[in-house]
Amino acid sequence: QVQLVESGGGLVQAGGSLRLSCAASGRTISSYAMGWFRQAPGKEREFVATISWSGGGITYYADSVKGRFTIARDNAKNTVYLQMNGLKPEDTAVYYCAALYCSGYGCYGRYDYEYDYWGQGTQVTVSS
């Protein structure tokens, strides 16, 4: 079992920045691809970013956040980060961290059904 705990959410003005953290416990995440998803009120959960466990951390982003958000991982700290810059009101959502066990080199996940473990989420609110 992998337990994931997100932190770093909060209220920020448009154009501001936040860094979310996802601390894992129970198992090392070095063999897990990691992802961030978000869910706004009244909307379905959507993919934000993912990073592979191998290949130096191959990343993939949703078009809506590309160039503004950066996902990174520190396997020594068993932690994944999401640096969010240039925040917009439409980024307001609960952000979830997720772990996907995959053996393939450079694999990562873009779909929520692929993931094995989820955190409880952290609220991000961007005011205009």
Side-chain angles (χ1 to χ4, degrees):
Q1 289 285 341
V2 176
Q3 292 79 42
L4 302 172
V5 178
E6 303 94 335
S7 61
L11 174 64
V12 64
Q13 289 189 332
S17 298
L18 282 174
R19 188 177 81 154
L20 305 183
S21 298
C22 172
S25 61
R27 290 182 180 175
T28 175
I29 61 169
S30 58
S31 297
Y32 287 78
M34 302 298 295
W36 285 96
F37 290 77
R38 66 187 182 186
Q39 187 167 21
K43 295 187 177 181
E44 293 187 352
R45 186 165 55 190
E46 65 174 1
F47 166 77
V48 175
T50 181
I51 185 167
S52 69
W53 65 266
S54 62
I58 299 168
T59 59
Y60 186 88
Y61 297 92
D63 288 343
S64 59
V65 307
K66 199 173 296 182
R68 299 188 297 124
F69 291 12
T70 302
I71 187 172
R73 64 190 299 156
D74 185 337
N75 289 338
K77 295 184 177 179
N78 231 28
T79 300
V80 177
Y81 305 96
L82 184 69
Q83 177 67 44
M84 306 186 294
N85 298 328
L87 283 162
K88 304 176 181 180
E90 52 262 45
D91 294 318
T92 295
V94 177
Y95 283 71
Y96 297 91
C97 171
L100 161 64
Y101 181 77
C102 54
S103 58
Y105 181 84
C107 78
Y108 54 58
R110 294 162 50 190
Y111 304 99
D112 56 2
Y113 61 77
E114 297 180 276
Y115 285 80
D116 303 300
Y117 302 102
W118 291 84
Q120 83 291 345
T122 186
Q123 176 71 47
V124 172
T125 303
V126 184
S127 63
S128 57

